[in-house]
Amino acid sequence: MIVDHGHVVGNASRAAIISNRRITGLSAAVIAELVAEVGPLWHERHQAKLASRPRKRAVGAGAKHQLVFVDRLLATLVHLRHAATHDVLASWFGVDRSTITRAIAEVRPLLAERGCTISTGVRLRTLAEVIDHIGASGKTGIVDGTEIRVRRPAAGRKDRDKFISGKSKQNAVKTMVVTDGDGRMLFCSPTQHGSCADITHARQLGLVRLLEGGPAAEILADAGYQGLGAQTGGRVVTPPHRKFKKNAPDWYEEMYERQRKAHSSRRIRVEHGIAHLKNWRALARHLGRREHISDTVQAVAGLLSHQQTADLIPARQV
């Protein structure tokens, strides 16, 4: 039991949230690690925020927290996993809606900053670290872009049309996802407007520069990244180009289909990784403020990778 001032959710409710993996998508062991890791960071930032204000009373005086940190974390996890509204969470935790809103706003950036876990105590936070890891391990990386629907910007905003995706014809943002050959999450980029092409987004993130001067690494990608292979010395592998647009010989059609399917079967793991990412309902469709979507994407990627790593350690499944 965590000792702290303020309101705590009932022991039965907290135990149900922690013990049932369907509620948060995380095991009890991973949640315990999050409390031990993120809790001190939250307390440190909270104290710094209090100390930075002009004060008439000492730090710590006045009203106490209505939620202890563990409940703030659980509320954030439930929100990310099921896109539960702040009103529903406020009723569940027995506090005001504004308390839940503030708690999620404080905890979500801390989760986003953690990066993706590849082994116990080892995190990847930048694309450069991901490329170095792929090159050092000798494994294959797989890259793909995925879109997340967002609300349409208000009429009159000059950048309103930038969110319209050329693929889905809907208002969306997109993120670049990198997994390994087994589909384990390695990286999710900050989001970009839905109208931005996948290859343009990759270039803006510095993928070409990192592969040009970095280690020898194989990165599989779909046809949306064709052209990066020539710019990276063949490190980015895309589906074969179709040389015959009309009246292709039968032998060429058979060879082309065989090569295309072979590449697709190797690249399918990133689609599985994206599917696991979208199981967190906050990423199925984002109904909140668009400036928070990057933190949401990276927080979910970090939580997903942490659980994937934990699932590979048999001792934690006991």
Side-chain angles (χ1 to χ4, degrees), residues 73-314:
L73 175 64
L74 292 177
T76 304
L77 294 178
V78 174
H79 171 70
L80 293 175
R81 182 66 177 179
H82 296 287
T85 65
H86 295 187
D87 285 326
V88 169
L89 292 172
S91 298
W92 192 357
F93 284 83
V95 296
D96 190 76
R97 181 185 185 278
S98 62
T99 301
I100 294 295
T101 300
R102 189 179 306 110
I104 293 175
E106 292 173 350
V107 174
R108 181 174 49 207
L110 296 175
L111 296 177
E113 292 169 6
R114 295 174 65 247
C116 290
T117 305
I118 57 171
S119 61
T120 303
V122 180
R123 301 265 172 77
L124 302 176
R125 293 180 173 85
T126 66
L127 186 57
E129 293 175 349
V130 172
I131 299 302
D132 289 340
H133 166 70
I134 293 173
S137 64
K139 296 182 178 180
T140 297
I142 314 176
V143 63
D144 198 8
T146 185
E147 295 182 350
I148 302 166
R149 290 182 61 187
V150 296
R151 292 181 303 157
R152 188 180 188 186
R157 287 192 54 173
K158 62 180 180 180
D159 60 347
R160 193 184 195 198
D161 292 341
K162 289 185 178 180
F163 288 94
I164 300 177
S165 165
K167 180 190 299 184
S168 64
K169 310 303 181 185
Q170 295 175 332
N171 289 274
V173 295
K174 63 176 50 180
T175 180
M176 190 179 80
V177 177
V178 183
T179 69
D180 62 13
D182 297 322
R184 289 183 57 198
M185 192 63 56
L186 300 180
F187 178 74
C188 269
S189 72
T191 58
Q192 183 59 274
H193 296 117
S195 61
C196 181
D198 288 347
I199 191 171
T200 302
H201 192 196
R203 287 168 177 156
Q204 291 174 348
L205 292 170
L207 181 62
V208 174
R209 173 178 50 81
L210 292 171
L211 289 174
E212 277 183 328
E218 183 184 50
I219 306 293
L220 301 180
D222 64 10
Y225 296 90
Q226 280 183 343
L228 292 187
Q231 297 176 3
T232 59
R235 287 178 168 86
V236 175
V237 181
T238 56
H241 287 276
R242 191 178 187 90
K243 296 182 180 179
F244 292 88
K245 294 185 178 180
K246 294 182 179 180
N247 302 321
D250 291 341
W251 63 266
Y252 178 80
E253 284 291 341
E254 293 177 3
M255 180 186 69
Y256 173 81
E257 284 299 316
R258 185 168 59 251
Q259 292 177 345
R260 186 185 63 80
K261 289 181 179 179
H263 181 274
S264 179
S265 65
R266 294 184 65 198
R267 202 192 63 82
I268 193 63
R269 293 293 187 177
V270 72
E271 304 292 352
H272 297 163
I274 291 174
H276 289 308
L277 203 66
K278 295 293 183 70
N279 282 338
W280 294 70
R281 302 303 297 172
L283 299 185
R285 182 176 183 182
H286 184 73
L287 298 176
R289 300 176 67 90
R290 287 180 297 276
E291 53 264 35
H292 296 155
I293 186 63
S294 287
D295 278 349
T296 299
V297 168
Q298 294 180 309
V300 170
L303 294 169
L304 174 60
S305 67
H306 194 161
Q307 187 61 61
Q308 288 174 334
T309 301
D311 287 342
L312 295 177
I313 304 177

Side-chain angles (χ1 to χ4, degrees), residues 19 21 26-30 33 306-318:
S19 62
R21 184 165 167 174
L26 305 175
S27 64
V30 169
E33 291 176 3
H306 194 161
Q307 187 61 61
Q308 288 174 334
T309 301
D311 287 342
L312 295 177
I313 304 177
R316 295 189 181 182
Q317 298 177 353
V318 178

Side-chain angles (χ1 to χ4, degrees), residues 1-2 8-19 68 70-71 74:
M1 178 69 179
I2 304 244
V8 296
V9 71
N11 288 339
S13 297
R14 181 189 291 174
I17 296 173
I18 294 175
S19 62
V68 297
V70 64
D71 292 337
L74 292 177

